Amino acid sequence: VELTDNLVLIHICLMFGWTASPYIFNVISEALRYEFRKRLICAASDIFVDDLMMICLRRHRLQNIQIAGDIIRGLMGKNAVADHKTEWGRRVEMLGWVMDLDRAIVSIARRNHLKALYGFYSVDTLRPVPCRELQRLASWASRYSTVCRHMRPFSSSLHGCYKGIDGNKSALM
């Protein structure tokens, strides 16, 4: 991170929730993707920041989990994998989404669905709405319009509501 007076700050570890983390971590992700492509058995995989997802035949599952863990530990150290967080199954919740192989669908996780519904229904449209709240609503609308197409028109309208407004101010919806 570039600072003033020609100083540079180099993070030894990433901060949770830091906006630039996905971009910084992408260098590591690309190295992991390369190794996964070479060494995993009959598997498709991807990584988003610090979450690995993999699809493979059931009979290769345990071996692929071991291989992926070894690759990650080899690159980032012995404590880089939280084995207790490893999940597998034909229906898995990940990154706020539910992936269901039996029904062949990807859908919004129940918790995220309820959180977004509560967020939309709790807005008082008769009063100015804080810019940050509009941005959060617009983000949900954009993200979830991939599975609920009826939200697409609202997404662009919500983004338009806060355009040109200072982040600390409010706008009328």
Side-chain angles (χ1 to χ4, degrees), residues 1-10:
V1 177
E2 189 174 339
L3 303 173
T4 60
D5 299 324
N6 292 322
L7 295 175
V8 174
L9 171 68
I10 299 173

Side-chain angles (χ1 to χ4, degrees), residues 16-160:
F16 182 80
W18 184 41
T19 306
S21 292
Y23 306 104
I24 302 295
F25 205 89
N26 194 49
V27 175
I28 295 167
S29 298
E30 284 302 319
L32 293 172
R33 282 184 190 105
Y34 176 80
E35 288 299 319
F36 294 155
R37 277 192 300 272
K38 283 185 1 184
R39 297 171 49 191
L40 291 177
I41 303 163
C42 302
S45 66
D46 203 0
I47 191 163
F48 178 75
V49 186
D50 65 344
D51 291 304
L52 169 66
M53 52 205 117
M54 175 176 21
I55 298 174
C56 67
L57 296 173
R58 185 176 288 150
R59 67 177 177 260
H60 299 305
R61 177 191 72 221
L62 296 176
Q63 195 173 0
N64 277 335
I65 289 170
Q66 181 66 47
I67 292 168
D70 291 346
I71 292 169
I72 294 167
R73 286 182 193 95
L75 180 64
M76 296 184 289
K78 66 179 183 168
N79 296 321
V81 177
D83 290 314
H84 68 281
K85 291 185 176 181
T86 300
E87 292 182 48
W88 61 80
R90 297 199 47 86
R91 184 180 189 279
V92 177
E93 187 175 315
M94 181 168 195
L95 297 171
W97 298 91
V98 173
M99 289 150 228
D100 190 325
L101 294 177
D102 294 329
R103 294 174 55 202
I105 62 167
V106 173
S107 185
I108 305 166
R110 179 172 171 73
R111 180 179 177 275
N112 284 26
H113 184 206
L114 294 175
K115 188 166 105 177
L117 279 175
Y118 176 79
F120 280 107
Y121 281 109
S122 65
V123 173
D124 183 354
T125 57
L126 301 177
R127 298 181 187 272
V129 179
C131 188
R132 295 246 183 254
E133 190 170 345
L134 283 171
Q135 290 171 332
R136 184 175 53 248
L137 296 172
S139 172
W140 284 334
S142 296
R143 190 173 323 135
Y144 299 141
S145 68
T146 59
V147 293
C148 180
R149 294 173 191 239
H150 302 294
M151 292 185 84
R152 284 188 183 155
F154 301 108
S155 174
S156 58
S157 295
L158 284 166
H159 283 293

